[in-house]
Amino acid sequence: MKQFFTFVRKEFYHVFRDPKTLLLLFGMPIAQIILFGFALTNEVKNSKIVIADYAKDVASERIIEKIEATKSFEIEQILLSTKEIEETFKKGKVKLAIVFPATFNSDLSHQNKTQVQIIADASDPNTATTLTNYAQSIIMSYQREVQAMNRAPLQINTEIRMIYNPELKGATNFVPGVMALVLLLICVLMTSVSIVKEKETGTMEILLVSPMNPLLVIVSKAVPYFLLSILNLTVILVLSITMMEMPMNGNFLLLYFASSLLILAALSLGLLISNSTNTQQEAMLISLMGMVIPTMMLTGFLFPLENMPLPLQVMANIMPSKWYYIIVKSIMIKGLGFVAIWKEMSILLGMTIFLLTMSFKRFKIRLA
Amino acid sequence: MTAEKVISTDRLTKKFGDFVAADEISFDVYKGEIFGFLGANGAGKTTAIRMLCGLSTPSYGEATIAGFDIYKETEKIKKNIGYMSQKFSLYEDLTVLENIKFFGGIYGLSDKELKSKSNQLIETLGMSVEAKKLVGSLPLGWKQKLAFSVAIIHDPKIVFLDEPTGGVDPVTRRQFWDLIYKASSQGITIFVTTHYMDEAEYCHRISMMVDGKIKALDTPTNLKDQYHANSMDDVFYELARGAKRKAD
Amino acid sequence: MPEVILENISKSYQDGKVKAVKNVSFSVEKGELFGLIGPDGAGKTSLFRVLTTLLTPDSGIATVFGCDVVKDYKSIRQHVGYMPGKFSLYQDLTVEENLNFFATVFGTTIQENYDLIKDIYVQLEPFKNRRAGKLSGGMKQKLALCCALIHRPKILFLDEPTTGVDTVSRKEFWEMLQRLKKQEITILVSTPYMDEATLCERIALIQEGEIMSINTPQGIIEEYPKKLFSIKSSNMIQLLDDLRKYDSIDSCNAFGEYHHISFKSENTELAKSELTTYLKRDRDYKDLVINDINPTIEDCFINLMN
C-alpha cells in the first residue's frame, strides 16, 4: 500500500512541477467554456415533432398537411392530449410539439383571429429556435393562403413555449459537451502521454523489473488523473452554474457517478493507446485524432446528430461521450432521476467495463 | 599545413544569466587542420560549437568562421560549414541515394553536380549495393560514414563533428578516421569532439575546455610533455579532475 | 551453480527480419564482475532485457539465480538491480525524491541499505534537493546506480553505464563497481569502450549478435595469434598508408599515438628488420620507432572481427 501512495504522490509531483500540464489541466476547461459560449446556428432537417390536435378541422388539417410536406419536419405522432407531450419530450426524440385548440377554425372564421401553441425542447437552444421559426413560417403561409380568399384581416397568433430552457441559454447545450470533452481529453491524453514518457526515459523498464505489480503501476498512474478530473469537473460545474446560469435540477451524486464512469472509460482508453505507442508525440497525436476530434463531432453538442448521414449517426453510438452527454443533459436540465436514464447509464457502464477489461488484458508485463 | 586561418576567435563568451557557459575563449584553427575539441561533460563544448556554427549569438567577443563574421554573416557561415553529430545522422526512412540528394539539394548543388557527387560518394564508401536501401536498415558504422560524407558533400571549408564515432565498432571507427584524414588532405578543416582518447592522438592539435575556459591547447605530443603524461587519457584526467562544474 | 546461465539464446525483431541475438550461451559466476563488450547494435541490450525478464527469448533457456527468465519472472524481479542504457531517472524529481521513490517501489527504505550506497550517495548529498534534470552526466549516472542498488540486489545489470560520460566520471564509476564487488554482488556490465574491458574479471566480446570470445581479459589477450608491434613516426597518416601497401604486413591499425602492426611471416624479427630498412631507406622515414607490445583488447576485437 505504501508503494501505491508513493507512486501517486510522485505522479502529483509530475503534474504540479510542469507549468504546461497545469495550464492544460485548469486553463483548458475555462477556455473551452468561453469558446463554446459563442453558440453556433444549425440548419435542421427531419426533426421529429408531435401534434396535439384538439380541433380536427379543415384549418388544422391543412396546416398539418403543410408541415408534412416540408423536409424539416417529420410527424412522429398525432397526440390526443397535451399531457402526453411532456412524456414524449422526456424520451428525448421529439424536439417540438404543436397544439391546436378545439376552437381553432371556428375562432378564425368567426372572430378573424385564432391561436396555436408551439412547444419546444430548448435544452438545445439553437435547434429549438430554428424549429420554432420554421413552424411559425408554415403557419404564416397558411394564414396568407386563407387571407387571399377573405376580405377581412385574419390573424393566427402563435404562442411559443420553450420548456426545459425557457431563456434559451446556450450554456445548457455546450456545458455538458465541454464536460465530456474535458474529461476525455485530460484522461486519455494525460494518461497515455505520461505512461509513454516513462517508456521514453527508461524508467518504465525499471518499474517493470521491480517487484511492484505491473498492474499497480498502471492503477497508481490513473488515480491522480481520476482525482484531477473530478476536481476539474467541479470547476466546470461551479463556473457554469454561477456564471453561465446553467441549471442544476437533478442529483449531484448521480452526475458524479456518471462522470466517474466516463473518466474510467477514458483512462482505459489512454492506457490502451500507451500500450501501442512508443513516443509522446505518437500518443498525443492518436489521443487528439482518435478521441478529441470525434468527441467534438459526434457527441451532439456542436452538430446535432439527427442531421448527420446515417453512418455517422451509427458511429456516434460507439462514442461514450454521446451517452454521457445525454445523461448530463437529462440530469442537469430536465432534473431526471436514474429510472429515466437507466438505459444510457447501462450503455456507458458497459462501455467502461469493456474498455477497462481490454486495457488490463492488453497490458504488457514485458517490453514487447 | 598552410597558415590560412579558417576559425579565429577572440575572447568569445556566452552567458546564460549569471552562468558563463563559454568564458573568453580565444583560438585559431588553420586550413586542413584536424582540431580536437575536448572537455568534460558540461565544460561548455556544445555552447562553443553552437556559436561557431552561427546557431547562437555570443554575449561578447569576436570570431570569424571561414572568413565571415559570427554576428553579421551567419548565413554565409552556414553555407561554408558542414555539421554532423552522433544523434542526428540522416533520415532513416529515406534511402541512401535520397539522403544524398536531399542534403546536396539543401546546399544548392546542381543536378549535374549532385549526380556526379552521389556516384562518387557511393563508390568511395563501397555502398553501390545499398544505394537504394533505407538508411534505417544500415549498420550504425555505415550510417556514420555516410553521414560524414553527406556533411562534406558541398565542399565546406570546415566540418564540425560532434562525437561522430560514439558506440561504433573499432574497425569502422578506424575507417571513419580514414575518411577524416582524406577530407583533411583535401583542405577541409575538421573540428571534432570525442570521448575516445586514442582519437585525440589522431588530431593535429587539441584544445581542452574546463569550466568554460580553454585550459590547454597544443599538439598531442607537446601536451603529453607539458603534463608529464604517458597518454592523452592522463592529460585529460589531469586537467578535468580540477573542474568545479561537476554537478551542473 | 552459476548465478546467470544462458543456453542458445536467440532473439529477433520485426518478425525475424532483424536478428539481434544469435544462439548465445555463457554463464556468470556468483560475485563475478562480467563485461559484455561490443559496439552499438551488437545485441548487448537485447541480452540484458532477456535476463531482466523484459523480453522473452525466441529460443533457448536462460536462468538467473536458478529462476527461469520466462516462467519465474516474478522471483527474478524481486532481486535484480537494473540500469537501462537510456535510463534518465525522473528529471522533475529531486535527487532525494528519486531515490526515495525507487526505494519504495522496491519495498525498502534508504536507511535500510544505506551502507551499500553510502560511498556513492555522499557525493550526491550536497545536491539532494536539486532536480535530477539539472545534474551533470556523471552525477546522473551515480544517482542511477544508487537507485539500482537501493534494494540490495543479488545481481546488478548495468547496460552501457558509461556511454556519453567523460573520462573522469568513467574512471570514478569503475572504481565504484570495484568496491561493490566486495559486497558480493554479481555485476553484469556492458560497454562499447574496449579500454574498460580490462577492469572486468571476465568478458565476452560480442559483435552482430554473436559472442566472438569469452575469457578473462588476460586470457583473451593471450589468445591473440600473432606477435604485435607498435610503430611511430612524425608523419603518422603517411605511415599508415605506406604500411598498408607493404606486402608482408598482415594487419595495421591506428592506435592513438602508434600504429599496431603484425606480420604475415612467422619470423617476425626478420620481417621487422626488413620493414625498418624499407621505411628508412626507401620511404625516407627518419624518426621511426618500433616496439614489441602486448595486444590490447581492442586489438583482439579487431582481429576477431576480421
Side-chain angles (χ1 to χ4, degrees):
Chain A
M1 223 36 207
K2 198 189 161 209
Q3 286 181 333
F4 178 72
F5 284 121
T6 310
F7 209 115
V8 171
R9 189 178 60 202
K10 180 214 89 175
E11 220 54 46
F12 273 114
Y13 283 151
H14 289 322
V15 174
F16 289 118
R17 285 182 187 174
D18 183 14
K20 275 181 241 155
T21 312
L22 270 184
L23 191 72
L24 185 66
L25 260 176
F26 294 103
M28 193 184 58
I30 299 166
Q32 297 274 18
I33 287 192
I34 293 167
L35 260 170
F36 290 111
F38 301 98
L40 299 151
T41 48
N42 312 297
E43 207 199 341
V44 182
K45 274 184 195 165
N46 295 332
S47 287
K48 298 215 163 50
I49 66 169
V50 288
I51 292 171
D53 190 1
Y54 289 102
K56 292 205 174 67
D57 50 32
V58 257
S60 71
E61 259 154 28
R62 176 72 192 129
I63 293 177
I64 292 171
E65 241 175 69
K66 274 177 158 310
I67 290 172
E68 269 182 321
T70 68
K71 277 186 180 163
S72 307
F73 297 118
E74 194 180 296
I75 298 174
E76 170 84 359
Q77 216 181 339
I78 309 274
L79 300 172
L80 296 175
S81 78
T82 41
K83 279 179 203 153
E84 290 173 73
I85 292 176
E86 187 85 9
E87 275 165 41
T88 53
F89 271 73
K90 279 189 177 167
K91 278 183 195 153
K93 270 190 190 164
V94 171
K95 300 278 176 216
L96 194 87
I98 300 175
V99 183
F100 295 99
T103 55
F104 185 66
N105 195 33
S106 64
D107 282 354
L108 190 65
S109 40
H110 296 117
Q111 298 169 21
N112 287 343
K113 74 175 183 200
T114 186
Q115 295 225 335
V116 61
Q117 191 184 33
I118 299 173
I119 306 170
D121 174 353
S123 39
D124 177 352
N126 303 321
T127 319
T129 332
T130 321
L131 288 180
T132 45
N133 285 341
Y134 263 117
Q136 256 183 312
S137 69
I138 292 169
I139 294 163
M140 284 308 136
S141 79
Y142 174 73
Q143 184 186 316
R144 278 193 300 277
E145 223 177 83
V146 190
Q147 185 74 65
M149 303 179 285
N150 220 318
R151 298 182 78 193
L154 293 175
Q155 198 182 351
I156 303 176
N157 286 331
T158 44
E159 184 211 320
I160 295 164
R161 233 186 93 202
M162 298 282 181
I163 60 168
Y164 302 130
N165 179 21
E167 289 150 76
L168 287 184
K169 273 182 276 183
T172 53
N173 188 33
F174 69 81
V175 166
V178 169
M179 281 162 65
L181 190 63
V182 166
L183 292 184
L184 274 171
L185 195 65
I186 288 172
C187 298
V188 178
L189 195 78
M190 298 269 181
T191 33
S192 62
V193 166
S194 83
I195 294 175
V196 171
K197 192 175 171 189
E198 299 227 15
K199 281 195 196 174
E200 277 186 340
T201 55
T203 41
M204 197 53 150
E205 283 178 55
I206 304 272
L207 296 178
L208 285 177
V209 173
S210 81
M212 196 164 168
N213 186 336
L215 278 180
L216 200 62
V217 173
I218 295 310
V219 174
S220 39
K221 252 203 170 321
V223 166
Y225 294 107
F226 184 88
L227 294 176
L228 286 168
S229 304
I230 294 284
L231 179 67
N232 232 319
L233 182 73
T234 313
V235 171
I236 300 174
L237 284 177
V238 169
L239 264 182
S240 52
I241 292 172
T242 56
M243 290 167 63
M244 302 271 181
E245 293 169 41
M246 173 81 188
M248 178 58 202
N249 298 323
N251 189 326
F252 268 110
L253 226 59
L254 192 61
L255 183 65
Y256 273 97
F257 175 69
S259 304
S260 306
L261 286 183
L262 184 75
I263 294 170
L264 278 178
L267 288 173
S268 319
L269 258 169
L271 184 55
L272 277 174
I273 292 174
S274 73
N275 248 338
S276 46
T277 50
N278 284 313
T279 66
Q280 290 182 63
Q281 288 101 308
E282 251 183 288
M284 191 108 72
L285 200 69
I286 293 181
S287 302
L288 284 174
M289 300 296 283
M291 281 316 303
V292 178
I293 294 172
T295 304
M296 290 178 64
M297 308 290 285
L298 296 177
T299 297
F301 80 102
L302 271 190
F303 312 102
L305 291 174
E306 49 265 38
N307 294 341
M308 289 186 181
L310 193 67
L312 282 183
Q313 291 194 28
V314 174
M315 250 174 78
N317 287 329
I318 60 164
M319 302 293 301
S321 55
K322 177 198 160 169
W323 304 103
Y324 178 70
Y325 181 66
I326 297 173
I327 293 169
V328 172
K329 278 176 85 167
S330 308
I331 297 175
M332 293 186 75
I333 303 165
K334 300 182 188 169
L336 299 177
F338 181 74
V339 185
I341 49 170
W342 70 270
K343 220 169 78 191
E344 285 82 4
M345 286 288 253
S346 349
I347 293 173
L348 189 61
L349 181 71
M351 285 178 164
T352 305
I353 292 172
F354 173 74
L355 287 170
L356 211 56
T357 4
M358 277 285 285
S359 65
F360 277 146
K361 262 194 172 160
R362 295 278 307 273
F363 180 72
K364 293 174 196 145
I365 52 156
R366 296 173 205 273
L367 282 181
Chain B
M1 202 181 301
T2 46
E4 189 193 330
K5 288 180 191 171
V6 285
I7 298 177
S8 176
T9 76
D10 183 21
R11 295 186 302 112
L12 199 62
T13 302
K14 181 77 186 185
K15 289 183 180 175
F16 297 102
D18 290 339
F19 180 70
V20 189
D23 192 359
E24 306 212 330
I25 53 176
S26 306
F27 62 92
D28 296 323
V29 183
Y30 300 95
K31 183 174 158 70
E33 190 174 21
I34 302 174
F35 189 81
F37 197 62
L38 308 187
N41 296 128
K45 281 177 297 177
T46 310
T47 309
I49 291 179
R50 286 204 179 134
M51 285 194 286
L52 298 178
C53 291
L55 296 174
S56 142
T57 314
S59 303
Y60 64 85
E62 301 299 324
T64 53
I65 309 295
F68 299 109
D69 184 77
I70 201 169
Y71 293 97
K72 293 176 209 137
E73 298 171 302
T74 52
E75 289 315 307
K76 284 183 186 154
I77 289 176
K78 285 177 192 168
K79 272 188 194 144
N80 284 285
I81 60 169
Y83 178 79
M84 175 207 161
S85 82
Q86 187 188 358
K87 279 167 209 137
F88 171 77
S89 324
L90 299 159
Y91 291 103
E92 304 253 311
D93 53 350
L94 297 187
T95 66
V96 171
L97 215 55
E98 283 162 353
N99 265 296
I100 297 172
K101 288 199 170 143
F102 173 76
F103 285 102
I106 281 188
Y107 285 103
L109 263 60
S110 68
D111 284 354
K112 208 176 140 196
E113 279 174 310
L114 261 179
K115 199 161 186 186
S116 72
K117 277 269 179 189
S118 47
N119 285 341
Q120 186 193 335
L121 202 154
I122 284 168
E123 199 182 315
T124 331
L125 294 176
M127 283 191 181
S128 47
V129 183
E130 286 81 10
K132 291 201 170 134
K133 279 192 185 162
L134 294 186
V135 164
S137 67
L138 300 177
L140 175 73
W142 292 44
K143 281 185 208 165
Q144 296 301 80
K145 282 192 278 180
L146 180 63
F148 175 74
S149 308
V150 167
I152 56 167
I153 197 166
H154 57 297
D155 296 318
K157 291 210 167 80
I158 310 155
V159 61
F160 291 90
L161 308 175
D162 196 0
E163 287 186 36
T165 53
V168 175
D169 71 72
V171 172
T172 316
R173 210 148 65 78
R174 283 169 178 79
Q175 291 168 349
F176 193 90
W177 273 90
D178 287 343
L179 291 177
I180 291 182
Y181 288 143
K182 199 176 159 208
S184 154
S185 69
Q186 288 164 355
I188 297 176
T189 303
I190 316 283
F191 192 95
V192 61
T193 73
T194 179
H195 278 315
Y196 292 98
M197 283 305 132
D198 60 328
E199 292 187 344
E201 302 267 7
Y202 307 149
C203 301
H204 295 128
R205 283 191 307 149
I206 301 278
S207 80
M208 261 293 300
M209 247 183 129
V210 180
D211 290 346
K213 293 191 177 73
I214 290 187
K215 272 278 154 67
L217 197 168
D218 215 321
T219 61
T221 315
N222 289 349
L223 282 176
K224 277 182 283 182
D225 286 350
Q226 196 182 332
Y227 289 90
H228 310 290
N230 288 321
S231 66
M232 276 311 295
D233 208 25
D234 295 339
V235 174
F236 186 95
Y237 193 69
E238 190 61 34
L239 280 161
R241 210 178 41 175
K244 291 184 187 75
R245 274 193 210 160
K246 276 200 155 180
D248 296 301
Chain C
M1 187 183 169
E3 194 85 324
V4 177
I5 303 171
L6 289 95
E7 273 171 32
N8 305 95
I9 290 290
S10 293
K11 178 76 194 173
S12 58
Y13 303 107
Q14 292 169 23
D15 302 321
K17 268 185 235 152
V18 184
K19 292 195 172 67
V21 176
K22 302 168 195 163
N23 225 17
V24 166
S25 309
F26 66 86
S27 58
V28 180
E29 295 299 328
K30 191 168 166 55
E32 201 173 16
L33 175 51
F34 188 93
L36 209 53
I37 319 284
D40 287 3
K44 303 188 298 290
T45 301
S46 298
L47 276 177
F48 271 56
R49 286 184 171 165
V50 166
L51 291 174
T52 51
T53 75
L54 284 169
L55 289 177
T56 49
D58 297 340
S59 61
I61 297 167
T63 60
V64 176
F65 38 77
C67 301
D68 185 273
V69 291
V70 181
K71 276 179 260 152
D72 309 325
Y73 72 94
K74 277 187 180 155
S75 342
I76 294 178
R77 289 180 184 188
Q78 299 280 340
H79 299 292
V80 299
Y82 175 42
M83 201 172 136
K86 58 179 178 178
F87 185 40
S88 54
L89 306 145
Y90 294 107
Q91 310 276 332
D92 52 348
L93 299 193
T94 66
V95 169
E96 207 178 15
E97 284 164 353
N98 264 299
L99 197 55
N100 257 320
F101 174 73
F102 284 107
T104 319
V105 162
F106 282 96
T108 179
T109 59
I110 298 182
Q111 289 74 30
E112 207 171 311
N113 293 314
Y114 188 71
D115 61 301
L116 191 62
I117 58 161
K118 196 180 144 214
D119 279 353
I120 313 164
Y121 192 64
V122 284
Q123 303 174 54
L124 286 164
E125 207 136 31
F127 314 107
K128 67 177 184 186
N129 291 321
R130 192 180 287 200
R131 303 227 174 132
K134 302 251 180 212
L135 293 175
S136 70
M139 283 291 170
K140 270 185 196 160
Q141 176 205 39
K142 281 176 194 145
L143 177 57
L145 183 62
C146 281
C147 291
L149 279 172
I150 193 69
H151 58 300
R152 197 178 286 276
K154 288 187 193 163
I155 306 184
L156 199 53
F157 291 97
L158 308 170
D159 193 7
E160 297 205 16
T162 52
T163 294
V165 179
D166 64 63
T167 318
V168 180
S169 305
R170 271 167 60 191
K171 273 208 172 99
E172 286 176 2
F173 194 81
W174 278 95
E175 282 161 16
M176 288 187 277
L177 293 191
Q178 304 296 349
R179 283 199 295 270
L180 280 175
K181 223 189 83 58
K182 295 192 183 112
Q183 306 267 359
E184 289 180 356
I185 295 175
T186 310
I187 304 173
L188 249 86
V189 59
S190 73
T191 178
Y193 297 105
M194 306 283 154
D195 55 342
E196 291 179 347
T198 48
L199 302 165
C200 305
E201 286 171 290
R202 274 201 313 141
I203 52 173
L205 302 183
I206 181 169
Q207 164 78 0
E208 289 178 353
E210 284 171 289
I211 304 270
M212 300 190 295
S213 182
I214 303 175
N215 210 326
T216 59
Q218 195 51 44
I220 288 199
I221 287 168
E222 279 161 15
E223 281 168 11
Y224 194 80
K226 295 248 169 186
K227 180 103 191 68
L228 205 65
F229 300 90
S230 73
I231 181 165
K232 165 170 121 160
S233 83
S234 56
N235 190 345
M236 293 299 280
I237 301 173
Q238 184 59 45
L239 180 61
L240 192 65
D241 206 38
D242 286 335
L243 288 169
R244 280 177 183 160
K245 284 178 189 149
Y246 190 69
D247 251 358
S248 62
I249 294 283
D250 184 49
S251 74
C252 168
N253 291 297
F255 265 84
E257 200 181 351
Y258 293 88
H259 298 324
H260 290 184
I261 51 172
S262 62
F263 296 102
K264 284 175 187 158
S265 93
E266 292 293 316
N267 190 346
T268 50
E269 281 311 308
L270 178 68
K272 188 175 95 175
S273 70
E274 275 174 7
L275 175 70
T276 319
T277 321
Y278 164 76
L279 288 175
K280 281 187 175 165
R281 205 181 53 202
D282 297 358
R283 307 296 304 174
D284 208 24
Y285 284 91
K286 292 197 174 63
D287 45 1
L288 210 61
V289 182
I290 303 188
N291 296 315
D292 289 22
I293 52 158
N294 284 321
T296 63
I297 295 292
E298 193 156 347
D299 285 304
C300 303
F301 199 99
I302 293 171
N303 176 56
L304 289 166
M305 272 180 77
N306 292 329

